[in-house]
Amino acid sequence: MTGTPDRSGVTGVVDRLLAVLVEGLPPDLRRPFEEVRETLHAPLRLAVVGRVKAGKSTLVNALVGRRVAPTAAGECTQVVTWYTYGSPDRAEVQLRDGTSRPLVLENGAVPASLDVPVEEVRRIVVHLQAGALRDLTLIDTPGLATLTAANEEATRRALLGDGSSTAAAGDADALLFAIREAERQDDFDFLRDFHRASGSLSATAVNAVCVLTQADLFGSGDLAGGDPFALARGVADRIATEHPTDFSAVVPVSGLLAQTARTGLVTEQLARTLRELASADPVLLQLWRQIGTPEGIGDAEMTGLWEALGPYGVVAGRSVAPEGAAALRTWLGSTSGVDELDTAIQRQLLPRAHLIKAIRALSVAATLVPGLPDHEDARARLETALLDPALHPLAELRALRLLGAHAPASPLVPRLEAVVDDPDGVVRGASGAADGLRRAAAYATGEATRSVVPAEIEAARVLARSYQLLARRVAGSPS
Ligand SMILES: Nc1nc2c(ncn2[C@@H]2O[C@H](COP(=O)(O)OP(=O)(O)O)[C@@H](O)[C@H]2O)c(=O)[nH]1
Ligand SMILES: [Mg+2]
């Protein structure tokens, strides 16, 4: 994944503001501000949330490109775990008392159980030299509605903060919502609870993507009911229609197939085994545990194949297997939906990472300011700073969020998205550059008077200012 540099200047402005606010203060008052300043320059923290066994850890492995998170049929992610870029590969357990101790990875993976009581653990941090983590820190969670209260509590604290002011906005910048079809109604109850509990961090189309997990298992388990991915797509489209304001995208994904594709499990040997099943009857294939493996294939081989690919992957993958392991990997990446999920993350979350982080930093700062000795002065400085034109992209993102909530079909949505995500492209596309941008500003101002929807009026005003600021930038630049 490639990061998008912050060309807007927002990060710098917020960073300087936070530094100025605590000038001359004692270290204990400065520390929380300094912590939040660091987050401005760190990769986006993307938390995977959802019910236990939704397939979160499997998805994390697929996105990281390694089988590093423990996955199991039972509940096994016990504590919140951060996967972050770093070299050499190593892990540590951070305890609630502020200390930390090294954690030995077992065959490159986080052990499924720890030698410390989970209540004492704040989080595990795993540093990996994995390209996918250069722009993202992935946070795996035990999941809400877990079997044990302690695990659920850990998830809530990680996402929603533990009540202390620094953690008030929680640890995550953005969310992947993992929803499993089999528990659909429950999952939406969960989403509602999450919204209620998370306040400012609620999932919105600006910072959340929904993943419909285990897409390979949709429909009837025997594959007689049709293509599970097509069924999953139908459900995903319906969720997207029903929740336009919650998610910027709803993507059906088979974490299992994605994990297999991306963690080196697709070998030529696996492709060969699959090829040998070419003529087997799909229905009998799925009964192999009861009636035995097809001729020439051992139990262990078949078990390995089944664990890596599941029934759909085995049956459908046979047509690709003759082309070899590389083709099978490509097919799995695309069929599993993980390529599409990557695209959603890269197009919808990463380009906005600096804005999402800045908004979060400012809201944390706002909660910290009342605790400062000179808080009247600090508040005034914070409010003045918010008027800086360099922070206009934050107003754009807020307007986009509002528009998403109240007028998702507005023609202003794509235009706001363009100024948020690709201001340079907007400048290039404006015929006559500065003049073109000024005309666009005038048009947007007109829209503000034509519309009767408050969110749209606000968006049009914000957009007019965006074009004006871009026009000023173009007119003022030397070229
Ligand atoms: N067939 C299939 N099984 C999956 C998929 N994702 C996860 N699983 C299985 O579901 C179980 C729970 O997965 P896990 O990732 O540990 O769930 P978590 O509790 O949400 O982290 C494991 O046995 C996985 O192998 C998937 O996409 N397809
Ligand atoms: Mg897990």
Side-chain angles (χ1 to χ4, degrees):
M1 295 178 187
T2 51
T4 310
D6 174 14
R7 311 218 331 131
S8 67
V10 164
T11 306
V13 172
V14 174
D15 187 58
R16 277 192 298 280
L17 170 65
L18 297 182
V20 167
L21 282 179
V22 292
E23 254 168 27
L25 291 180
D28 58 321
L29 288 178
R30 297 173 71 106
R31 198 167 306 117
F33 283 89
E34 270 148 22
E35 278 171 17
V36 79
R37 277 179 71 195
E38 277 165 28
T39 67
L40 287 171
H41 307 284
L44 186 82
R45 285 163 310 175
L46 179 61
V48 185
V49 301
R51 287 182 180 276
V52 70
K53 288 200 284 177
K56 298 179 298 299
S57 300
T58 308
L59 192 63
V60 164
N61 287 336
L63 292 174
V64 173
R66 301 212 207 158
R67 293 199 69 170
V68 63
T71 60
E75 179 167 357
C76 86
T77 306
Q78 292 189 303
V79 301
V80 171
T81 309
W82 290 36
Y83 296 93
T84 191
Y85 191 80
S87 158
D89 290 357
R90 65 193 187 282
E92 76 222 19
V93 182
Q94 296 183 353
L95 300 177
R96 293 204 174 279
D97 66 9
T99 62
S100 61
R101 57 176 75 175
L103 176 71
V104 178
L105 297 176
E106 292 171 359
N107 298 321
V110 172
S113 63
L114 300 174
D115 54 7
V116 206
V118 291
E119 309 80 62
E120 290 173 24
V121 178
R122 183 162 177 233
R123 65 172 75 108
I124 292 174
V125 179
V126 185
H127 307 262
L128 296 173
Q129 219 177 341
L133 297 175
R134 282 186 187 274
D135 301 311
L136 273 182
T137 290
L138 279 166
I139 303 178
D140 193 9
T141 65
L144 297 181
T146 61
L147 299 178
T148 64
N151 290 2
E152 169 147 355
E153 193 45 37
T155 300
R156 274 188 199 280
R157 257 199 303 259
L159 298 171
L160 317 176
D162 59 7
S164 75
S165 47
T166 32
D171 282 336
D173 298 305
L175 301 172
L176 283 188
F177 243 92
I179 292 181
R180 203 170 89 178
E181 199 256 356
E183 295 163 325
R184 231 165 75 79
Q185 190 45 51
D186 265 15
D187 279 318
F188 289 111
D189 293 346
F190 160 68
L191 177 60
R192 215 182 36 242
D193 287 351
F194 187 84
H195 273 304
R196 200 177 299 131
S198 58
S200 65
L201 187 80
S202 50
T204 78
V206 163
N207 69 344
V209 169
C210 177
V211 181
L212 197 56
T213 57
Q214 312 202 6
D216 59 307
L217 297 180
F218 271 60
S220 64
D222 60 5
L223 304 183
D227 178 355
F229 284 92
L231 295 171
R233 174 69 62 188
V235 175
D237 290 348
R238 199 162 68 236
I239 296 175
T241 312
E242 286 166 9
H243 296 265
T245 63
D246 294 323
F247 309 116
S248 65
V250 184
V251 188
V253 175
S254 164
L256 181 71
L257 298 189
Q259 175 181 263
T260 297
R262 295 199 169 181
T263 62
L265 292 179
V266 184
T267 57
E268 294 299 342
Q269 175 59 48
L270 183 122
R272 256 195 311 277
T273 311
L274 204 50
R275 214 155 51 215
E276 282 165 31
L277 298 175
S279 58
D281 179 323
V283 176
L284 297 182
L285 250 186
Q286 291 177 72
L287 295 173
W288 73 270
R289 280 186 218 276
Q290 289 84 39
I291 61 175
T293 58
E295 200 166 328
I297 300 192
D299 249 26
E301 232 176 334
M302 196 64 186
T303 304
L305 201 61
W306 215 252
E307 280 175 2
L309 297 173
Y312 175 85
V314 170
V315 171
R318 295 179 306 165
S319 61
V320 190
E323 295 164 49
L328 197 53
R329 249 189 315 270
T330 306
W331 176 77
L332 285 169
S334 128
T335 302
S336 68
V338 73
D339 292 349
E340 186 183 337
L341 178 60
D342 262 345
T343 305
I345 292 171
Q346 284 180 50
R347 299 235 175 102
Q348 285 153 24
L349 297 181
L350 291 184
R352 297 172 181 174
H354 59 291
L355 302 180
I356 295 170
K357 287 186 288 180
I359 287 178
R360 182 178 166 279
L362 286 172
S363 70
V364 172
T367 65
L368 291 170
V369 157
L372 298 181
D374 216 351
H375 59 263
E376 296 293 348
D377 186 43
R379 188 193 314 280
R381 261 192 282 181
L382 189 60
E383 278 165 11
T384 311
L386 294 180
L387 301 175
D388 188 330
L391 295 187
H392 184 67
L394 302 184
E396 293 169 348
L397 198 63
R398 284 198 203 96
L400 194 57
R401 190 182 280 203
L402 262 180
L403 208 53
H406 301 290
S410 166
L412 297 184
V413 170
R415 290 208 264 149
L416 258 181
E417 278 173 345
V419 296
V420 167
D421 296 331
D422 186 19
D424 293 342
V426 172
V427 170
R428 277 196 305 276
S431 52
D435 280 344
L437 290 164
R438 282 191 206 102
R439 275 194 300 278
Y443 182 78
T445 306
E447 286 289 283
T449 60
R450 280 187 289 274
S451 174
V452 291
V453 182
E456 206 173 39
I457 296 170
E458 173 61 11
R461 284 191 191 130
V462 168
L463 197 55
R465 176 121 172 98
S466 307
Y467 291 131
Q468 279 158 5
L469 290 170
L470 287 174
R472 210 183 286 170
R473 197 176 89 191
V474 172
S477 68
S479 60

